[in-house]
């Protein structure tokens, strides 16, 4: 009888310990970001792929800011990089399946990623767009530089420097809101100047190498060019390389956009690039911070954040030049 009682007591003790262990396990998290039954916050960041230039710097800024948020706010993050719109669409599908709290996206192409933005919205996930806008209202917040302002300021610079008369070449970016807005602003600023003619407008795809090739072809087709407007500093560097290799002396100046240190160096050395207009990759830091606030349940103070397109020439280049910058 005593032996039977002992066995019953042992069985009851094992049962109680099993119950206590299960309760403890339920409250301690499952290793997937859940603690005490609460899911930890996570931001998904979808960007194009790049290792250098403006986009390379932006990717680095995004990750640094995300790491800072994780350390200070305990908000987790996952970053994806894509070389084309199809890959970016698949990346976003994966972020949605992970049930991230907010998505930050820089669309490779505006039109191609617009349905993806709608998919994010339909999933009930807030969306912070950086740089290139979508063609619908899927974004909760847009963070961008003043693209139209870049075009307008460049157009005014051309009018002033050319005295309202000259033959101009335009090197554009790939299909996106950035390209459209910069081009529209440039055209708007020069509409009243009938003496300025845009004799060629071709895409350099925001690539130094592609712009070099495109400009080589334009130089062969046009024996007289007064100035070149490029929508990006990287493209400006490709353009001046083509001009140098061709030995052309008729081109008075080239302008860019972005704020690359190589462009500042060219200006300071009295090179062919005479002006650029700021479009800093650090804008993505604002986007990640906003995403963190939204993840915590805060309403954004504004739906459109626009960074100023400050004109930079040789006279003020030192104010913005950073020799250690990745861009």
């Amino acid at each position: 009888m005593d032996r039977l009682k002992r066995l019953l007591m042992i069985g009851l003790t094992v049962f109680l310990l099993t119950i206590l262990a299960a309760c403890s396990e339920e409250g301690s998290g499952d290793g997937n970001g859940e603690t005490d039954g609460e899911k930890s916050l996570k931001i998904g960041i979808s960007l194009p792929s790049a290792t250098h230039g403006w986009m390379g710097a932006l990717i680095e800024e995004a990750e640094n800011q995300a790491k800072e948020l994780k350390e200070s706010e305990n908000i987790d993050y996952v970053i994806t990089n894509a070389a084309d719109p199809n890959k970016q669409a698949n990346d976003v599908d994966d972020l949605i399946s992970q049930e991230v709290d907010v998505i930050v996206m820089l669309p490779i192409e505006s039109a191609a990623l617009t349905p993806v933005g709608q998919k994010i919205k339909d999933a009930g996930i807030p969306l912070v767009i950086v740089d290139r806008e979508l063609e619908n209202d899927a974004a909760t917040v847009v963070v961008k530089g003043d693209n139209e302002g870049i075009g307008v300021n460049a157009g005014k610079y051309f009018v002033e420097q050319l005295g309202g008369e000259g033959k101009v070449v335009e090197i554009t970016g790939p299909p996106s809101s950035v390209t459209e807005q910069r081009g529209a602003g440039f055209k708007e600023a020069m509409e009243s100047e009938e003496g300025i003619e845009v004799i060629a407008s071709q895409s350099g795809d925001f690539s130094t190498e592609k712009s070099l090739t495109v400009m080589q072809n334009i130089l062969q087709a046009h024996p007289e060019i007064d100035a070149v407007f490029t929508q990006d500093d990287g493209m400006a560097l490709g353009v001046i390389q083509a001009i140098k290799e061709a030995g052309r002396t008729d081109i008075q100046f080239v302008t860019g956009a972005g704020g690359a240190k190589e462009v500042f160096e060219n200006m300071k050395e009295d090179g062919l690039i005479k002006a650029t207009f700021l479009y800093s990759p650090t804008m993505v830091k604002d986007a990640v911070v906003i995403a963190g606030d939204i993840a915590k349940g805060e309403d954004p103070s504004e739906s459109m954040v626009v960074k100023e397109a400050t004109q930079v020439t040789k006279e003020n280049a030192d104010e913005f030049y950073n020799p250690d910058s990745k861009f």
Side-chain angles (χ1 to χ4, degrees):
M1 194 63 149
D2 289 340
R3 187 171 175 228
L4 181 59
K5 284 182 180 180
R6 281 199 303 273
L7 288 171
L8 287 172
M9 287 297 293
I10 291 169
L12 181 60
T13 301
V14 170
F15 175 74
L16 289 172
L17 288 172
T18 302
I19 293 295
L20 287 170
C23 291
S24 174
E25 192 172 273
E26 185 178 350
S28 65
D30 60 5
N32 291 320
E34 292 190 11
T35 305
D36 296 327
E38 292 184 6
K39 179 176 175 290
S40 66
L41 302 176
K42 182 186 283 188
I43 297 170
I45 304 173
S46 171
L47 304 172
S49 57
T51 57
H52 61 281
W54 190 89
M55 193 63 72
L58 181 137
I59 292 167
E60 184 176 70
E61 295 284 0
E63 185 147 25
N64 288 342
Q65 187 60 59
K67 285 178 180 176
E68 189 176 315
L69 265 188
K70 185 172 184 178
E71 292 170 2
S72 62
E73 305 280 353
N74 198 31
I75 298 175
D76 207 353
Y77 69 93
V78 55
I79 294 181
T80 64
N81 301 101
D84 59 70
N86 288 335
K87 172 65 164 58
Q88 189 169 30
N90 291 334
D91 287 346
V92 171
D93 283 341
D94 186 49
L95 293 176
I96 292 172
S97 70
Q98 292 184 48
E99 298 183 352
V100 296
D101 297 280
V102 186
I103 290 177
V104 176
M105 179 170 70
L106 196 164
I108 292 175
E109 293 181 8
S110 296
L113 274 300
T114 291
V116 174
Q118 187 61 47
K119 186 181 287 189
I120 295 169
K121 184 177 181 180
D122 292 343
I125 300 174
L127 172 62
V128 180
I129 287 291
V130 186
D131 185 30
R132 304 170 192 172
E133 296 172 74
L134 302 176
E135 296 179 353
N136 58 11
D137 63 351
T140 308
V141 179
V142 173
V143 180
K144 64 173 189 173
D146 186 0
N147 287 304
E148 187 172 352
I150 284 173
V152 169
N153 291 347
K156 289 178 179 178
Y157 184 84
F158 273 64
V159 170
E160 177 186 321
Q161 297 299 313
L162 295 175
E165 201 170 308
K167 294 181 178 181
V168 172
V169 167
E170 178 185 31
I171 305 297
T172 72
S176 69
S177 62
V178 170
T179 296
E180 292 169 7
Q181 291 165 7
R182 291 182 187 181
F186 185 68
K187 182 180 178 182
E188 175 192 329
M190 296 197 305
E191 274 182 346
S192 60
E193 301 298 327
E194 295 180 1
I196 297 180
E197 179 188 3
V198 178
I199 58 174
S201 180
Q202 293 188 33
S203 174
D205 286 342
F206 289 155
S207 161
T208 300
E209 295 77 15
K210 174 72 179 290
S211 300
L212 168 61
T213 302
V214 166
M215 193 63 198
Q216 286 172 334
N217 295 332
I218 291 174
L219 289 169
Q220 290 177 1
H222 299 277
E224 186 182 340
I225 299 170
D226 292 296
V228 183
F229 163 56
T230 74
Q231 295 186 357
D232 166 76
D233 279 351
M235 297 197 300
L237 294 170
V239 164
I240 64 170
Q241 183 180 343
I243 294 170
K244 182 179 179 181
E245 290 176 358
R248 292 283 289 266
T249 58
D250 53 316
I251 298 162
Q252 301 172 37
F253 63 88
V254 175
T255 66
K261 66 179 179 182
E262 285 185 71
V263 166
F264 294 151
E265 288 163 0
N266 185 272
M267 288 177 185
K268 290 162 60 139
E269 294 165 1
D270 285 323
L272 201 53
I273 302 175
K274 300 300 183 186
T276 190
F277 305 89
L278 292 190
Y279 197 83
S280 175
T282 59
M283 69 175 71
V284 76
K285 296 174 70 174
D286 292 351
V288 173
V289 169
I290 290 168
D293 291 340
I294 293 173
K296 292 185 292 183
E298 299 175 18
D299 292 328
S301 58
E302 50 191 334
S303 61
M304 182 73 71
V305 179
V306 181
K307 314 297 281 186
E308 187 178 347
T310 304
Q311 178 175 300
V312 182
T313 62
K314 180 183 178 181
E315 286 66 37
N316 65 341
D318 282 333
E319 295 178 34
F320 306 98
Y321 176 63
N322 176 7
D324 299 321
S325 172
K326 189 170 183 175
F327 173 58

